[in-house]
Amino acid sequence: MLTEKQEAYARHYARFGNSAAAYMSAYAAKDSLPSTIASEGSRLRAHPAVAARIAELREAATATADVTLDLKQIFAKLCLQVVTDPRELMVLRTGNCRYCNGEAFAYRWRDGPEYQKALADWQRLAEKGVVEEMPGCEGGFGWRPFHAPNPECPECGGGGTVHGSHKATDEYGPGAAALYEGFKQTAHGIELKTADRQKSMEMLVRMLGGFDDKLELKGQLAATIKAAVAVAGDQHTAAGMYAEMIKGR
């Protein structure tokens, strides 16, 4: 059991890491000789019970700081997920449709293997009794999605077709990175997994006390979050907040 002054010493030392200053503060020894302050401070620091208390206080302070920082990071990430446009994960471009540049405006194939696959699919359906028109190759080969649309095309009227592709993850800004949660390969290509923005919004409301549940944030963290949400009205602001909150991690 520590004395009141030993406890005061331990708390001061755990925070500032200076044995002489901790001794002066706890024992009101500012008028003592410097040599006495130094020796007494070192003696207290070596006391087993005092040393154990210092270690306990530092461990608790570290855990509290980590939890606070983690919550700030979570809050900032949720802000980004809510305000970021999911289209930032994609690249959308308009190019020619399959008929734009085909011979006589007929369907144009990318290459021979694509046409061969279409023929194989048609044959399988035919064997099952499904009657469809056999694919032809009158439109030729060499279709590329981002070639310019043909304004005379009778199929799309010159408007072409919007083609989407996924941005490379190393091109993501902070908002896109917050939304991105991985991908999976499907029969139709890569499917991105993204954060549920509705759930992110609900969690933000909870963090701000908007729901009648048991989640409650107190002290400086609550003040920080309430102040931040007042200005986190757009992606750039939220991104700046996120960077500031994790600085020095």
Side-chain angles (χ1 to χ4, degrees), residues 99-165:
Y99 301 87
C100 275
N101 298 305
E103 298 294 333
F105 293 114
Y107 190 95
R108 193 174 194 185
W109 300 93
R110 182 184 292 273
D111 49 31
E114 183 186 44
Y115 177 59
Q116 291 297 328
K117 182 180 183 303
L119 282 177
D121 292 341
W122 171 82
Q123 185 173 355
R124 279 193 295 270
L125 290 174
E127 290 171 354
K128 294 179 181 179
V130 179
V131 180
E132 290 187 353
E133 183 180 352
M134 179 179 176
C137 59
E138 296 83 2
F141 302 92
W143 178 80
R144 296 294 180 269
F146 300 125
H147 286 179
N150 187 335
E152 303 300 325
C153 178
E155 182 69 22
C156 69
T161 302
V162 175
H163 305 284
S165 61

Side-chain angles (χ1 to χ4, degrees), residues 8-20 22 41 45 54 58:
Y9 171 90
R11 288 184 176 278
H12 193 287
Y13 187 91
R15 183 176 182 185
F16 299 107
N18 187 301
S19 61
R45 177 69 183 86
I54 290 170
R58 283 185 164 175

Side-chain angles (χ1 to χ4, degrees), residues 25-183:
S25 174
Y27 289 83
K30 64 180 181 179
D31 294 327
S32 299
L33 293 174
S35 58
T36 301
I37 293 172
S39 63
E40 288 299 309
S42 296
R43 182 183 63 80
L44 276 171
R45 177 69 183 86
H47 190 292
V50 174
R53 180 56 175 157
I54 290 170
E56 180 184 9
L57 289 167
R58 283 185 164 175
E59 183 178 353
T62 299
T64 301
D66 286 346
V67 168
T68 300
L69 183 58
D70 287 345
L71 284 172
K72 287 181 179 180
Q73 288 180 287
I74 290 170
F75 170 75
K77 188 171 184 178
L78 289 172
C79 282
L80 283 173
Q81 289 172 350
V82 169
V83 302
T84 299
D85 190 332
R87 289 176 295 182
E88 290 200 17
L89 299 170
M90 303 287 296
V91 176
L92 299 178
R93 294 170 60 184
T94 300
N96 62 162
C97 77
R98 290 284 188 155
Y99 301 87
C100 275
N101 298 305
E103 298 294 333
F105 293 114
Y107 190 95
R108 193 174 194 185
W109 300 93
R110 182 184 292 273
D111 49 31
E114 183 186 44
Y115 177 59
Q116 291 297 328
K117 182 180 183 303
L119 282 177
D121 292 341
W122 171 82
Q123 185 173 355
R124 279 193 295 270
L125 290 174
E127 290 171 354
K128 294 179 181 179
V130 179
V131 180
E132 290 187 353
E133 183 180 352
M134 179 179 176
C137 59
E138 296 83 2
F141 302 92
W143 178 80
R144 296 294 180 269
F146 300 125
H147 286 179
N150 187 335
E152 303 300 325
C153 178
E155 182 69 22
C156 69
T161 302
V162 175
H163 305 284
S165 61
H166 303 305
K167 278 186 179 179
T169 54
D170 58 3
E171 296 179 0
Y172 286 171
L179 278 179
Y180 177 72
E181 293 191 345
F183 71 91

